[in-house]
């Protein structure tokens, strides 16, 4: 068992969790609890692999998460981890505080895209890419609508434009496509 050999299971469990959360109708709390447990099990296995080689433990993972939450959310936590007495008035202030803390922690590399996981599903990667350039003129125009795409490059541009249009309307293209596929699969 290696980190690499476990990745397929972690990804599968994450998607199973998404299935429960996005299922039509009321949220099935028992199914959610089960899928969260399966994801946690994967975290435990990765931590166990590390602890067996003298690396870190699950407790170290939890402490790293606690420290990160305190560090990145100064609008919620004091440096000692206790709650602030007052919270910001608006979401924009919270976002600015969070992004400032994150920027200090993880200075940008050569590109605003450096920290995007390349293995994200393509629609999610497109949406995150657009998030990173929001407010910047990227100089790239949308593909002109008209004839159907004839090549994979043209198809890629068309799909990217669909994600751009969805994002402009506050829609999640990845979730929308998954939902449409589920509807199509229904008898």
């Amino acid at each position: 068992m290696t980190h690499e050999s476990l990745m397929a299971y972690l990804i599968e469990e994450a998607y199973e969790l998404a299935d429960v959360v996005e299922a039509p109708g009321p949220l099935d709390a028992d199914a959610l609890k089960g899928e969260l447990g399966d994801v946690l099990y994967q975290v435990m296995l990765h931590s166990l692999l590390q602890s067996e080689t003298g690396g870190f433990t699950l407790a170290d993972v939890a402490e790293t998460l606690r420290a990160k939450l305190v560090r990145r959310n100064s609008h919620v936590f004091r440096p000692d981890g206790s709650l602030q007495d007052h919270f910001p008035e608006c979401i924009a202030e919270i976002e600015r505080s969070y992004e400032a803390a994150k920027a200090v922690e993880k200075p940008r590399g050569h590109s605003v895209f450096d920290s995007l996981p390349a293995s994200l599903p393509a629609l999610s990667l497109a949406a995150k890419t657009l998030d990173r350039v929001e407010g910047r003129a990227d100089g790239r125009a949308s593909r002109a609508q008209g004839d159907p795409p004839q090549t994979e490059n043209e198809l890629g541009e068309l799909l990217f434009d669909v994600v751009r249009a969805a994002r402009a309307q506050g829609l999640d293209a990845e979730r929308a496509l998954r939902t449409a596929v589920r509807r199509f699969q229904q008898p």
Side-chain angles (χ1 to χ4, degrees):
M1 180 169 48
T2 66
H3 292 291
E4 292 82 7
S5 70
L6 290 173
M7 284 312 301
Y9 302 106
L10 175 59
I11 292 167
E12 181 179 343
E13 295 301 346
Y15 280 116
E16 288 177 8
L17 174 61
D19 283 349
V20 168
V21 171
E22 295 178 352
L27 181 65
D28 182 339
D30 287 336
L32 178 63
K33 181 172 48 176
E35 294 305 333
L36 286 169
D38 291 346
V39 171
L40 181 57
Y41 179 62
Q42 294 299 313
V43 173
M44 291 171 57
L45 286 174
H46 282 275
S47 299
L48 179 62
L49 281 176
Q50 281 298 301
S51 69
E52 288 176 347
T53 61
F56 56 80
T57 66
L58 183 60
D60 296 329
V61 171
E63 173 52 29
T64 299
L65 174 59
R66 186 206 65 78
K68 181 192 290 186
L69 290 173
V70 168
R71 196 173 51 248
R72 288 188 180 176
N73 296 283
S74 61
H75 57 280
V76 175
F77 301 105
R78 293 185 183 109
D80 68 359
S82 62
L83 291 176
Q84 294 284 3
D85 292 327
H86 300 92
F87 299 105
E89 295 291 322
C90 66
I91 296 294
E93 187 178 340
I94 291 170
E95 289 172 347
R96 276 192 302 276
S97 170
Y98 179 85
E99 289 302 324
K102 195 172 171 185
V104 167
E105 181 180 313
K106 289 186 172 187
R108 295 230 191 259
H110 296 93
S111 166
V112 296
F113 310 121
D114 284 347
S115 64
L116 286 178
S119 58
L120 277 175
L123 293 174
S124 294
L125 182 60
K128 293 277 187 190
T129 297
L130 290 168
D131 287 346
R132 296 288 172 92
V133 297
E134 183 175 20
R136 297 183 181 101
D138 69 5
R140 289 172 254 190
S142 296
R143 182 182 179 278
Q145 299 299 320
D147 294 332
Q150 301 298 309
T151 67
E152 284 191 2
N153 281 344
E154 289 177 3
L155 177 60
E157 291 298 321
L158 179 62
L159 291 169
F160 193 69
D161 288 345
V162 168
V163 172
R164 186 187 327 245
R167 185 178 167 282
Q169 295 298 317
L171 303 173
D172 182 328
E174 189 78 36
R175 184 173 52 234
L177 182 57
R178 274 196 310 271
T179 301
V181 169
R182 285 188 195 117
R183 276 194 311 269
F184 180 83
Q185 292 173 341
Q186 296 301 313

